[in-house]
Amino acid sequence: MTSITNICVFISGGGTNLQSLIDGEKNGEFAGKIKLVISNKKDAYGLVRAEKAGIKNIWERDNGKILKILKDENIDLIVLAGYLKILPPSIIREYENKIINIHPSLIPSFCGKGYYGLIVHQKALERGVKITGATSHFVNGETDGGPIIFQETVKVLEDDSPEILQKRVLEIEHKVLVKSVKYFCLEKLKVENKKVKILKE
Ligand code: GRF
C-alpha cells in the first residue's frame, strides 16, 4: 500500500494545471493529497480555485518562509503549475527530485530563460515546427533543465494562432502533469545519471 503523498502546488496565474490536479485527486487518479497552494501573485485565480476546493492557500514571496511552511506541512512533493518565479537553491536542495514542473513545449525546444506562457507558442509558430507538445520534468538549478519525466506531442496546424495552439497544448499539459504526479506517488520515477527511468513493477 503506497502511503499518501503530501503535495504543495506553486502557481502564479489562472491555475488550470492546478485545477487538473484538484480534479485528479477528487477522481482518485493518484495517491496524493494537495495540502497547500502557494502563489507569488496575490491576484492569481488559482488561489480562488484552491479556496473553492477547500485547500489551504497562501500568497507568499519570501523563500525562507516558504521553506518553513513546506516543512511544517510535511510536504513530500512540490508541483510548479505555471509558477513564474525561480525557486532558490535552498528549496531545490531540500526537495531534490521531488519538484515537478510542467512546460508547454517539447524540451529542449522553446524553453529556458524567457520562455513561458504565450511566448513559447509564438516562437514555435515563428520557427514553423510541425509538432510541439508538453514536457514534465524534475526541477534542478537550471531553468527547464532538469531530468525529463514525460512528454506528449501536439500537431501544429497551418492556421494556428499562438492562443489557439496554447489552448491545445494546455489540455495535454493537464494530462501529462496528472500522469507525472500519479507515477511519483507510485514511486515509479527513478532518476539515474540525470535521466528518469519509469519503473515498470
Ligand atoms: C501556462 O502557460 C502553461 O503552459 C504553463 O504555465 C501557464 C500556466 O497555466 N505551465 P495555468 O495557470 O496552469 O492555467
Side-chain angles (χ1 to χ4, degrees):
M1 167 66 185
T2 315
S3 63
I4 294 292
T5 301
N6 290 329
I7 302 168
C8 175
V9 183
F10 284 56
I11 59 164
S12 297
T16 65
N17 278 290
L18 165 65
Q19 191 63 54
S20 67
L21 292 173
I22 292 171
D23 298 343
E25 179 187 333
K26 203 163 54 196
N27 301 333
E29 289 176 49
F30 50 82
K33 177 168 180 45
I34 304 170
K35 291 204 57 183
L36 177 63
V37 171
I38 298 179
S39 173
N40 66 318
K41 297 275 185 206
K42 201 171 190 177
D43 58 352
Y45 186 68
L47 290 172
V48 174
R49 293 179 191 272
E51 195 63 29
K52 284 182 175 174
I55 299 169
K56 184 176 177 182
N57 58 94
I58 57 169
W59 166 54
E60 182 56 72
R61 298 172 55 81
D62 179 296
N63 289 319
K65 286 182 185 163
I66 287 174
L67 188 53
K68 185 178 179 317
I69 295 165
L70 291 171
K71 288 182 179 174
D72 292 349
E73 295 287 340
N74 298 312
I75 297 300
D76 307 302
L77 170 64
I78 293 171
V79 177
L80 307 184
Y83 188 63
L84 295 179
K85 209 173 155 225
I86 300 294
L87 282 181
S90 57
I91 295 180
I92 292 174
R93 246 192 331 271
E94 186 71 29
Y95 288 89
E96 188 181 12
N97 296 329
K98 294 177 179 174
I99 307 172
I100 293 176
N101 184 45
I102 183 75
H103 183 76
S105 75
L106 296 175
I107 289 176
S109 298
F110 312 114
C111 69
K113 199 164 165 27
Y115 283 91
Y116 58 88
L118 213 50
I119 296 167
V120 174
H121 308 291
Q122 282 162 345
K123 295 293 183 191
L125 291 170
E126 272 167 32
R127 184 64 186 81
V129 295
K130 301 304 176 186
I131 55 160
T132 184
T135 304
S136 62
H137 63 91
F138 283 117
V139 172
N140 62 7
E142 194 196 327
T143 308
D144 298 331
I148 290 171
I149 302 169
F150 289 119
Q151 294 189 297
E152 203 168 310
T153 59
V154 173
K155 264 176 80 69
V156 180
L157 307 176
E158 290 275 309
D159 55 354
D160 268 341
S161 68
E163 291 75 9
I164 291 172
L165 184 55
Q166 178 179 48
K167 203 164 172 304
R168 236 181 15 258
V169 171
L170 209 43
E171 282 166 30
I172 298 300
E173 285 179 60
H174 299 162
K175 246 181 83 184
V176 167
L177 188 57
V178 170
K179 184 180 174 185
S180 304
V181 170
K182 174 183 174 182
Y183 274 65
F184 183 94
C185 294
L186 289 170
E187 298 176 11
K188 288 192 168 191
L189 302 177
K190 186 172 172 43
V191 181
E192 270 176 6
N193 305 323
K194 293 191 172 180
K195 289 185 185 56
V196 177
K197 271 181 76 174
I198 310 294
L199 302 180
K200 294 286 173 260
E201 72 286 353

